[in-house]
Amino acid sequence: MVSSSHEALHRIFQEDPGLFARAVKGRGILFDVPVTTCTLPTDLTETRPMERRVDTLLRMDTADNGSFVLAVESQGKQDPDKPASWAYYLSHLYAKYRMPPVLLVVCADRRTAAWAARQVDIGPPQWPSLTLRPLVLGPDDLPVINSPEEASRDIPLTVLSAALHRADPAADGILKALATALKGLLAEDESTAGLFIELTEQGLGKAPAADFWRYLMAADLSFFQSETAQSLRAEGRVEGRVEDILRLLQGRGIEVSEEDRERVTGCRDLDTLDVWFTRAITATSAAEVFAPEGD
């Protein structure tokens, strides 16, 4: 039950909104006295569910310093709406898991990385209530790994290095070292090697380095045409198309029911997914996207 003292300590500001500026003045924090005020609804519950999804979310448990929640966002371009979304993610994660949240933003573009790394103060300049401090990894934050020995010691880090430096002249050297390291891994664990092959291909996107990577793949067909690698590449294309459809519908403001979401995420047929993606570009409802052929 809410106590009367609890009520008094906030209701008084309803009765005299100007009290806020006067009360904090003694702290040396100066706010202008409001000219007009209005009372807003105190219920912050979202009556209409709003989809908010972080790219990757991990609970990290350490031996000496406890646990924290790591939210990883892949950011391809500057987006003025992102700081507000990121602040929401961190607040929500802290409230839900009761452990420190960390936001990692990964950017292959230098200007985007510099933009994402800015500290964002949320609130009036006299007293920001929240400060958003993303931890950013961009091309200048990760070393160029271009020796096979170093690449073999940490293949995942080398894959990330290739993705972040994909537009740099150093990209070819990284990919050569990575290809050599993956040949060694293939003999021990074909499935894991195939996974890193696929991640590298996806991480390079449409950069010129992607053509060089495909050249390296073709140079050793036994390496890159294994059944596992082909299966992983096909699965990667399916997952990519699933993500494209859901992001496109969200971006266009089209509501997607949980049933339709499961329909998309559960579909493994790339041709069907391509049809849905094409429809999603112009559809005005989810029903138009998922209508049977011929309708």
Side-chain angles (χ1 to χ4, degrees), residues 101-115:
V102 176
L103 172 65
L104 175 65
V105 182
V106 187
C107 311
D109 176 72
R110 283 181 168 81
R111 284 187 294 182
T112 302
W115 163 82

Side-chain angles (χ1 to χ4, degrees), residues 85-117:
S85 296
W86 290 338
Y88 177 92
Y89 295 163
L90 294 173
S91 298
H92 177 80
L93 291 172
Y94 184 67
K96 182 174 183 178
Y97 295 104
R98 294 300 185 197
M99 62 180 65
V102 176
L103 172 65
L104 175 65
V105 182
V106 187
C107 311
D109 176 72
R110 283 181 168 81
R111 284 187 294 182
T112 302
W115 163 82

Side-chain angles (χ1 to χ4, degrees), residues 13-181:
F13 291 96
Q14 295 180 26
E15 301 302 323
D16 183 359
L19 173 63
F20 166 67
R22 301 195 305 275
V24 300
K25 185 177 181 181
R27 295 279 315 275
I29 305 165
L30 302 179
F31 281 86
D32 292 336
V33 176
V35 176
T36 60
T37 65
C38 67
T39 301
L40 300 176
T42 58
D43 186 353
L44 302 183
T45 304
E46 295 183 1
T47 56
R48 178 184 176 187
M50 184 174 186
E51 184 172 311
R52 296 183 186 271
R53 290 177 179 268
V54 67
D55 289 337
T56 288
L57 186 62
L58 303 169
R59 171 176 171 152
M60 313 288 277
D61 301 313
T62 69
D64 300 321
N65 294 303
S67 304
F68 65 95
V69 179
L70 178 65
V72 185
E73 284 277 278
S74 174
Q75 192 67 26
K77 61 181 180 180
Q78 298 181 33
D79 181 349
D81 293 330
K82 272 298 182 178
S85 296
W86 290 338
Y88 177 92
Y89 295 163
L90 294 173
S91 298
H92 177 80
L93 291 172
Y94 184 67
K96 182 174 183 178
Y97 295 104
R98 294 300 185 197
M99 62 180 65
V102 176
L103 172 65
L104 175 65
V105 182
V106 187
C107 311
D109 176 72
R110 283 181 168 81
R111 284 187 294 182
T112 302
W115 163 82
R118 297 175 307 157
Q119 176 175 300
V120 178
D121 291 328
I122 301 173
Q126 304 96 319
W127 191 267
S129 299
L130 292 173
T131 297
L132 177 68
R133 296 180 62 208
L135 181 58
V136 176
L137 283 178
D140 296 328
D141 303 303
L142 206 67
V144 170
I145 301 175
N146 55 14
S147 78
E149 295 77 14
E150 189 177 0
S152 296
R153 285 195 294 269
D154 198 334
I155 289 177
L157 186 66
T158 308
V159 173
L160 182 58
S161 176
L164 292 185
H165 291 284
R166 64 193 182 196
D168 296 345
D172 288 1
I174 300 172
L175 294 175
K176 286 180 181 178
L178 178 58
T180 301

Side-chain angles (χ1 to χ4, degrees), residues 212-234:
F212 184 67
W213 182 245
R214 283 189 284 271
Y215 166 78
L216 290 175
M217 303 299 94
D220 190 339
L221 296 182
S222 64
F223 180 30
F224 299 105
Q225 289 188 352
S226 68
E227 184 176 341
T228 301
Q230 290 184 52
S231 175
L232 285 167
R233 281 195 288 272

